Amino acid sequence: MRTVTIVGASLSGLYAARELRAQGFEGRLVIVGDEAHRPYDRPPLSKDFLTGRTDETQLALTDPEETADLQAEWLLGIRARGLDPRTRTVLLDDGRAVPTDGLVIATGASARRLPGDHLTGIHTLRTLDDARALREELTRGPRRVVVIGAGFIGAETASSCAALGHRVTVIEAAPLPLLPQLGPEMAAVCAELHRRGGVELITGTGVAALRGTGAVMAVTGALGEGAVTGVAGACGAAGAMTGVAGACGAAGAVTGVAGALGAGAVTGVAEPYGEGVVTGVAGSHGWGAVTGAAGPPGSSAVAGSAGPRGSGTVTGVALTDGRTLPADIVIIGIGATPNTGWLTGSTLALHDGVLCDDGCVTSLPQVVAVGDVARVGGSRAEHWTSATEQPRVAVANLLAGRTVETVCSVPYFWSDQYGARIQFAGRRQDGDTVRIVEGDATAPDGGGFLALYEREGCTTAVLAVDRPRPFLRVRRELARGVGNVRAPSQSS
Amino acid sequence: MIPVCRLEDLPEGESVRVETTPPVGVFHTEDGELYAIDDTCTHQDASLSEGWLEGCLIECPLHAASFDLRTGRPTCLPARRAVRTHRVTVDDGIIHVHLAAEEGSAA
């Protein structure tokens, strides 16, 4: 293998580059990134970066020394627009083509959008540029901030805005925030964090429209279904977004997309890579519903067609219950969609991500996928830890030419909100019982707690609020496959 | 020189955080050695004294970066920068930390 190309220059792409060199690959290494920035860490964007505690230099994932050691060709600020597996070539937006023997797909995911979100004052928070723009706007004095979605990004951003002295309201379509991740009992505890942090939390209500000067964008009642704020791959979310896109058709050329999104799987395929991505390939390869969905997005989906930027300033958010919340700033945190649009027609199997086996290997043995874009062994995780763990295995398999290793980690995520550190590890299922084994989850002043999720006498997952040490111990035991985790003593 | 606690109050395998600026973590290894390092992980804000102590390595509780207590150097990603190390002494049964800056020898 003489040339390996990594498409995606964020966390998992960088880790893949490191692994390639660490595992002895000495050939040509090309790294393509659609952002102009060198790899940076995203988790602080919604937290310390937004509040000004961290600056951009502290976000960097590499230093010049390491960058030099990697001996890679960095093509930054350039999108990949296609993969031709027949000639083993990665096609770039600037017209170039990179012949490659091996490919690592690390294109991540893009923030889900809403019709009308082009209004000034409306933000998503996914990239450094997103965070810069929002941070700048938050420094202009007290604002009324409405956050749509109480998932991790929504909650962390709301927390940061509140810490900066803004008046914040969070809207969550589901009855409780983080319901799919944490289950009802612990989701209720996390809902309380918002209130304790001085933020108003409105749940069980959808967004009907984003209102602005000179524009009203109907969103219909599509957001009424709780799934919209969910994380990775909730097909319910995709279904709900279909309704959104349909409504948006009134504002532009998106009607066709709406139908296509009905497949639920490939929502937003068109968004991340914009128009031109699927030129000439639409419908030419049969991946069932996927191809059908990918054809129309040539029209560039919701954002681009909803109207020109700067045509108005946001004034409020209309809810499906009839209320309208006045807003100077609206932050949309309703999840992300995997950036697979550029792979349409490549023969790779796509379905809410790039389909891979347990070893991150796609349907082509010389192509692996890692991070948010990869659907590994049937599930897709948008977790920092997955993005750092998968590349080692993916690269080993890529260099071996077949799957010789599989990823076998315990899912782990964390979130910092309102001064509390939430950590979760494991695989919770509906119906698992929750047992508080340390601290008190209902204490009005917080103080932290450790909760074990259990099923048939085995521990399936662990949740901690401000209990990092016992959490770490249980997480390690879960990773070792210890089914019956010893409860930490109450005294520790 | 900062008094930390009585030696008997920090059993082997345990650690304690000293609220200096920046905070320092003091570790008593299973082998009976005492070490002190800056407590904040150089990758992201997390307290190393709340981490996982194994031999001379401390694993960050947030993202599993690992540091060698003897040198302060990270032994794996995601941390890339070392933490400062500080000298530890025990006088009359009391653990003391000698901050590196005070001794003019930033490790």
Side-chain angles (χ1 to χ4, degrees):
Chain A
M1 199 169 277
R2 284 177 300 185
T3 301
V4 172
T5 303
I6 300 170
V7 182
S10 192
L11 185 67
S12 61
L14 173 67
Y15 270 63
R18 287 170 172 163
E19 284 296 336
L20 278 161
R21 292 308 189 204
Q23 295 184 34
F25 174 69
E26 293 178 347
R28 180 184 179 213
L29 177 57
V30 182
I31 303 174
V32 181
D34 65 345
E35 292 182 64
H37 314 292
R38 293 256 174 208
Y40 61 88
D41 217 13
R42 288 183 207 277
L45 292 180
S46 55
K47 303 182 274 273
D48 284 353
F49 181 77
L50 216 52
T51 55
R53 285 184 60 198
T54 289
D55 64 26
E56 291 185 18
T57 58
Q58 292 167 284
L59 298 178
L61 284 169
T62 55
D63 54 31
E65 187 184 354
E66 189 198 28
T67 304
D69 286 348
L70 283 177
Q71 295 190 28
E73 296 169 38
W74 296 80
L75 305 178
L76 298 178
I78 299 170
R79 287 167 193 260
R81 67 174 178 85
L83 165 67
D84 184 346
R86 196 174 43 81
T87 59
R88 295 189 177 184
T89 303
V90 176
L91 308 170
L92 304 182
D93 237 10
D94 62 4
R96 272 184 287 179
V98 182
T100 192
D101 304 305
L103 174 65
V104 180
I105 296 170
T107 39
S110 291
R112 231 182 264 277
R113 312 286 303 263
L114 284 179
D117 66 7
H118 60 282
L119 292 166
T120 302
I122 297 183
H123 298 261
T124 53
L125 185 50
R126 180 87 194 167
T127 66
L128 176 56
D129 291 340
D130 291 343
R132 278 179 180 169
L134 179 57
R135 181 159 114 160
E136 201 274 323
E137 202 164 320
L138 289 170
T139 59
R140 296 187 204 151
R143 290 285 191 276
R144 293 167 302 181
V145 178
V146 172
V147 178
I148 301 174
F152 295 119
I153 293 294
E156 291 174 0
T157 306
S159 168
S160 295
C161 290
L164 290 167
H166 301 286
R167 196 173 130 197
V168 185
T169 305
V170 177
I171 303 163
E172 166 60 52
L176 286 167
L178 301 172
L179 199 51
Q181 293 87 359
L182 304 183
E185 300 96 332
M186 294 298 105
V189 172
C190 287
E192 194 55 35
L193 292 176
H194 290 275
R195 300 191 180 97
R196 208 183 290 155
V199 167
E200 185 185 11
L201 174 66
I202 300 174
T203 61
T205 304
V207 171
L210 299 170
R211 298 196 185 282
T213 54
V216 178
M217 294 296 172
V219 184
T220 75
L223 293 182
E225 299 308 317
V228 169
T229 50
V231 191
C235 282
M241 288 300 292
T242 306
V244 174
C248 185
V254 194
T255 317
V257 176
L261 291 180
V266 211
T267 320
V269 153
E271 294 172 38
Y273 284 84
E275 62 266 48
V277 172
V278 286
T279 311
V281 296
S284 61
H285 292 270
W287 286 111
V290 176
T291 304
S299 57
S300 188
V302 179
S305 48
R309 241 163 221 291
S311 65
T313 301
V314 71
T315 56
V317 177
L319 305 182
T320 50
D321 66 6
R323 278 183 289 175
T324 293
L325 303 174
D328 308 303
I329 295 174
V330 173
I331 297 151
I332 301 173
I334 55 171
T337 48
N339 293 330
T340 54
W342 67 286
L343 294 165
T344 305
S346 66
T347 76
L348 287 180
L350 309 173
H351 184 92
D352 183 42
V354 179
L355 296 192
C356 310
D357 66 11
D358 292 341
C360 300
V361 178
T362 70
S363 45
L364 298 171
Q366 63 275 26
V367 179
V368 295
V370 290
D372 290 4
V373 76
R375 193 170 182 82
V376 179
S379 64
R380 193 170 65 80
E382 293 179 0
H383 301 322
W384 185 95
T385 312
S386 311
T388 61
E389 288 176 345
Q390 290 168 355
R392 188 188 61 76
V393 172
V395 163
N397 295 334
L398 181 69
L399 295 177
R402 62 192 174 89
T403 302
V404 293
E405 268 193 68
T406 57
V407 178
C408 53
S409 64
V410 173
Y412 164 60
F413 58 79
W414 81 95
S415 179
D416 292 337
Q417 311 171 10
Y418 307 106
R421 173 159 287 165
I422 301 168
Q423 293 175 287
F424 181 95
R427 294 184 170 86
R428 186 201 74 85
Q429 295 173 37
D430 287 341
D432 288 359
T433 56
V434 183
R435 188 162 58 100
I436 306 293
V437 293
E438 198 180 308
D440 181 358
T442 58
D445 58 343
F449 65 91
L450 188 77
L452 298 182
Y453 294 79
E454 293 166 332
R455 169 173 293 255
E456 293 168 2
C458 289
T459 304
T460 57
V462 56
L463 170 73
V465 175
D466 291 330
R467 294 291 162 120
R469 205 164 182 185
F471 173 84
L472 188 59
R473 195 170 60 71
V474 178
R475 183 185 166 200
R476 291 173 74 100
E477 291 182 10
L478 284 171
R480 284 207 312 271
V482 179
N484 202 350
V485 173
R486 187 168 53 90
S489 66
Q490 288 287 340
S491 60
S492 64
Chain B
M1 188 170 81
I2 297 167
V4 178
C5 63
R6 301 185 60 81
L7 179 60
E8 64 200 47
D9 292 336
L10 187 67
E12 291 175 356
E14 292 294 320
S15 51
V16 64
R17 176 176 157 116
V18 186
E19 296 296 338
T20 45
T21 309
V24 166
V26 180
F27 302 82
H28 197 174
T29 69
E30 297 285 357
D31 299 331
E33 299 291 327
L34 287 165
Y35 297 99
I37 58 173
D38 279 355
D39 189 51
T40 306
C41 179
T42 57
H43 164 245
Q44 223 171 80
D45 187 11
S47 170
L48 293 174
S49 59
E50 293 179 325
W52 186 263
L53 181 60
E54 202 158 356
C56 280
L57 301 181
I58 181 70
E59 180 186 315
C60 172
L62 196 53
H63 301 137
S66 179
F67 295 87
D68 190 322
L69 294 172
R70 296 164 295 189
T71 62
R73 291 200 188 97
T75 60
C76 73
L77 292 169
R80 289 179 298 118
R81 282 177 292 121
V83 288
R84 291 186 309 163
T85 57
H86 308 282
R87 197 161 61 85
V88 185
T89 56
V90 180
D91 304 304
D92 292 334
I94 307 288
I95 300 171
H96 289 86
V97 166
H98 306 255
L99 291 180
E102 283 181 6
E103 298 187 346
S105 60

